[in-house]
């Protein structure tokens, strides 16, 4: 086992990783920016080092400084969490040069799956169903028009290097295509430094269903069931649940084996997620996330596997916790992302000082949070401040438990997504499990 792990992240996920370290009796090292001097994770760690100014390029994205602190603190491994450097293959390369273990898959796999065109090609080769369309970047507008015609409208123009819901444009008819291609190219080039875009079929009312993968370095790969993440705003998840309300044994078997096929085809190691869009009984590979995800706790709760501890153990050379047959799904879990955003003002970020705080508790409630009373949420980073997770034997009971926990959650001083979550939990269509990725847009008025 490692002696000391540097957590190259901040907020709730930094604390989540440090909790796993503590249970494994491994020391944790925090790095914190100017804006995070008073953040909880910097206090929680066994050792904390100031890394630099608040802007991510001077702090959580600065590989050189991170490696420097890892060496100074004698950390023998780095956990990147999610976001920031979690899917940056250069961190892995630098770690290797310095004899530090990066907790995650190999750099070459991160690179391949980070590019949507490359990953689609790999999945097609692995016989995993992909969304109809091309696996080639479009070379000219004329070619784009021909491709869209052959796929049939509506189509979606996507940046190959895209992520975080950025670099995607839906096109319903040819008239809109040229503008969509040009604008996606320009967004892609400024946000990701790569203007390659491609076109695929736009599935009109899909559900987003993903599978948690875990693979060790001895060649064992399992999945830990599914999560439904159809409640999204601007292609960003807001509520996740496990299992998916439409999951059956047969569907889990089919989607789960496709997810395993995807992972084994690329020699995947450590934790990862294979995302699918599900539509009219069919499912298609969307992308693979080569890291621990925000919504990992709902899987932990229904499978009773600590995914972060597993990640660390696997990186240290241990075999995976369990065989596929040993993975059991128990009950139902829901997660609400508590963001410091104003749901009545188009989810605009609302950083500031928390002047009153009481987190919910009681049976079946878990809060993974990075904040506390009198804490000032900085404006430099993501607006997610906490995750409220509940478990119950049935989906109905889990919804009622979430409603109860949301009522208990007091956060004063900043606007949060709590009222939005309450409205969703009370929404008939949600209660009936009638979900698709347009749920929020379709029911928006009713929800506000
Ligand atoms: P990102 O990498 O930016 O997160 P993804 O490719 O994972 O982007 O897609 C995010 C979301 O965008 C999906 O969950 C879905 O809601 C929507 N989406 C992406 N591709 C399609 C498609 N072909 N048809 C319909 N919706 C799509």
């Amino acid at each position: 086992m490692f002696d000391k792990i540097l957590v190259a992240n901040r907020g709730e996920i930094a604390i989540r990783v440090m909790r796993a370290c503590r249970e494994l009796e491994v020391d944790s090292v925090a790095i914190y920016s100017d804006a995070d001097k008073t953040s909880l994770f910097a206090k929680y760690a066994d050792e904390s080092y100031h890394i630099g100014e608040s802007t991510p390029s001077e702090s959580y994205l600065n590989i050189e400084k991170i490696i420097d602190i890892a060496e100074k603190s004698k950390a023998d491994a780095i956990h990147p969490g999610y976001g920031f450097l979690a899917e940056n293959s250069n961190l892995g390369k630098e770690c290797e040069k310095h004899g530090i273990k990066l907790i995650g898959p190999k750099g070459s796999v991160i690179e391949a799956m980070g590019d949507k065109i490359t990953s689609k090609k790999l999945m097609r080769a692995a016989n995993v169903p992909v969304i109809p369309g091309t696996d080639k970047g479009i070379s000219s507008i004329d070619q784009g028009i021909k491709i869209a015609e052959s796929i049939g409208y509506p189509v979606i123009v996507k940046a190959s290097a895209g992520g975080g819901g950025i670099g995607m444009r839906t096109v319903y008819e040819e008239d809109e295509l040229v503008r969509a291609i040009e604008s996606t190219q320009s967004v892609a080039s400024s946000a990701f430094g790569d203007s390659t875009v491609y076109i695929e079929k736009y599935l009109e009312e899909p559900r987003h269903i993903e599978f948690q993968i875990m693979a060790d370095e001895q060649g064992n790969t399992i999945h830990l069931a599914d999560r439904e993440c159809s409640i999204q705003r601007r292609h960003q998840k807001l509520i996740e649940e496990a299992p998916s309300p439409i999951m059956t044994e047969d569907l889990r078997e089919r989607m789960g084996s496709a997810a395993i096929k995807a992972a084994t085809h690329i020699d995947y190691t450590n934790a990862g997620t294979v995302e699918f869009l599900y539509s009219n009984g069919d499912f298609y590979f969307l992308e693979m996330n080569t890291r621990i995800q925000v919504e990992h706790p709902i899987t932990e709760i229904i499978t009773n596997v600590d995914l972060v501890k597993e990640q660390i153990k696997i990186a240290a050379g241990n075999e995976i916790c369990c065989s596929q047959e040993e993975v059991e799904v128990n009950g139902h879990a829901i997660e609400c992302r508590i963001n410091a955003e104003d749901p009545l003002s188009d989810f605009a970020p609302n950083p500031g000082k928390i002047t009153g705080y009481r987190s919910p508790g009681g049976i079946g409630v878990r809060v993974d949070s990075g904040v506390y009373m009198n804490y000032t949420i900085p404006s430099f980073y993501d607006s997610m401040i906490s995750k409220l997770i509940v478990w119950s034997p049935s989906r109905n009971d889990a919804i009622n438990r979430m409603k109860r926990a949301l009522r208990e959650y007091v956060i004063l001083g900043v606007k949060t997504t709590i009222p939005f979550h309450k409205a969703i939990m009370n929404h008939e269509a949600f209660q009936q499990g009638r979900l698709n990725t347009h749920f929020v847009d379709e029911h928006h008025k009713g929800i506000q």
Side-chain angles (χ1 to χ4, degrees):
M1 187 36 75
F2 304 114
D3 289 325
K4 206 182 263 187
I5 296 176
L6 182 146
V7 183
N9 215 302
R10 62 176 303 282
E12 71 83 22
I13 192 63
I15 296 177
R16 169 69 191 92
V17 175
M18 290 168 192
R19 281 179 164 152
C21 291
R22 197 150 287 169
E23 289 183 22
L24 289 167
E25 300 182 306
V26 174
D27 283 346
S28 57
V29 178
I31 51 169
Y32 62 90
S33 68
D34 281 347
D36 276 327
K37 277 189 180 139
T38 57
S39 285
L40 200 57
F41 73 94
K43 299 178 198 203
Y44 189 96
D46 293 301
E47 290 172 38
S48 291
Y49 293 82
H50 179 237
I51 184 157
E53 287 166 28
S54 305
T55 45
S57 60
E58 290 302 312
S59 51
Y60 306 106
L61 287 177
N62 195 309
I63 297 179
E64 208 181 312
K65 288 186 186 173
I66 292 170
I67 297 282
D68 221 41
I69 296 176
E71 293 211 299
K72 198 154 74 181
S73 64
K74 299 199 170 58
D76 44 5
I78 293 182
H79 195 302
Y82 54 69
F84 294 118
L85 293 169
E87 283 169 296
N88 180 319
S89 54
N90 291 330
L91 178 64
K93 285 182 198 147
E94 285 308 306
C95 281
E96 213 167 292
K97 271 193 218 156
H98 291 81
I100 298 166
K101 179 79 181 180
L102 183 70
I103 300 170
K106 291 185 288 284
S108 55
V109 171
I110 295 181
E111 217 162 288
M113 298 319 266
D115 184 83
K116 290 185 198 281
I117 292 179
T118 311
S119 69
K120 242 183 129 169
K121 267 193 209 144
L122 282 166
M123 290 306 111
R124 211 187 278 278
N127 259 332
V128 173
V130 296
I131 299 170
T134 52
D135 341 333
K136 269 204 238 67
I138 60 166
S139 52
S140 69
I141 299 283
D142 278 351
Q143 191 208 15
I145 294 175
K146 284 200 189 101
I147 291 171
E149 233 166 55
S150 69
I151 298 171
Y153 289 91
V155 296
I156 184 164
V157 181
K158 278 190 177 182
S160 192
I166 300 165
M168 268 186 271
R169 275 281 294 267
T170 311
V171 182
Y172 289 90
E173 46 194 74
E174 195 180 313
D175 284 359
E176 308 158 16
L177 187 65
V178 178
R179 260 224 331 263
I181 293 174
E182 284 168 355
S183 80
T184 312
Q185 282 172 331
S186 111
V187 167
S189 144
S190 59
F192 312 108
D194 174 0
S195 63
T196 313
V197 302
Y198 67 104
I199 301 179
E200 65 185 19
K201 181 79 187 162
Y202 181 67
L203 304 172
E204 293 198 64
E205 290 187 336
R207 301 175 83 112
H208 175 122
I209 300 177
E210 57 186 34
F211 274 70
Q212 176 69 52
I213 290 290
M214 193 62 85
D216 62 25
E217 296 177 2
Q218 289 74 19
N220 305 302
T221 305
I222 59 167
H223 75 76
L224 291 124
D226 44 284
R227 297 187 283 254
E228 164 107 32
C229 311
S230 297
I231 305 289
Q232 308 178 346
R233 176 92 183 129
R234 289 190 217 104
H235 305 305
Q236 292 275 66
K237 300 161 188 165
L238 283 165
I239 297 175
E240 301 96 344
E241 59 182 301
S244 162
I246 59 157
M247 199 46 64
T248 60
E249 234 172 82
D250 170 62
L251 185 59
R252 182 173 291 141
E253 167 61 33
R254 288 192 291 131
M255 293 183 84
S257 12
I260 289 184
K261 216 155 50 168
T264 49
H265 184 75
I266 52 171
D267 279 333
Y268 197 83
T269 48
N270 217 281
T273 298
V274 181
E275 296 188 336
F276 296 101
L277 288 183
Y278 172 95
S279 173
N280 298 324
D282 291 318
F283 60 88
Y284 309 91
F285 171 83
L286 179 64
E287 67 165 348
M288 180 161 193
N289 289 319
T290 52
R291 54 172 159 84
I292 193 79
Q293 280 188 281
V294 172
E295 59 271 27
H296 76 275
I298 52 175
T299 298
E300 297 187 316
I301 291 183
I302 60 158
T303 61
N304 208 15
V305 174
D306 183 321
L307 295 175
V308 180
K309 273 208 233 171
E310 269 314 297
Q311 282 196 293
I312 297 172
K313 286 199 220 161
I314 284 171
N318 291 301
E319 278 195 25
I320 212 161
C321 62
C322 30
S323 65
Q324 190 65 61
E325 294 68 47
E326 284 167 336
V327 176
E328 269 178 34
V329 172
N330 180 22
H332 201 90
I334 306 177
E335 171 180 278
C336 288
R337 297 190 188 195
I338 312 297
N339 299 346
E341 290 172 358
D342 184 357
L344 291 179
S345 202
D346 212 19
F347 293 81
N350 197 257
K353 185 171 174 173
I354 296 179
T355 55
Y357 188 80
R358 188 173 192 283
S359 66
I363 185 166
V365 176
R366 165 172 166 179
V367 181
D368 280 20
S369 140
V371 299
Y372 56 89
M373 172 77 176
N374 286 331
Y375 173 69
T376 299
I377 303 160
S379 57
F380 294 93
Y381 315 111
D382 187 37
S383 55
M384 196 187 73
I385 52 171
S386 164
K387 301 184 311 206
L388 175 56
I389 304 126
V390 301
W391 178 90
S392 239
S394 73
R395 184 172 189 267
N396 263 352
D397 289 347
I399 292 173
N400 284 338
R401 185 161 282 167
M402 181 58 90
K403 282 193 217 164
R404 185 269 287 170
L406 284 164
R407 274 181 72 170
E408 285 178 19
Y409 212 160
V410 178
I411 304 179
L412 304 178
V414 293
K415 297 215 166 65
T416 74
T417 45
I418 290 175
F420 167 84
H421 291 306
K422 283 181 180 163
I424 296 253
M425 291 302 134
N426 281 307
H427 201 285
E428 204 182 310
F430 180 80
Q431 291 172 354
Q432 292 169 352
R434 287 193 282 114
L435 311 177
N436 66 56
T437 55
H438 304 293
F439 187 96
V440 178
D441 288 335
E442 270 168 25
H443 301 285
H444 202 215
K445 287 212 172 68
I447 287 163
Q448 284 189 352

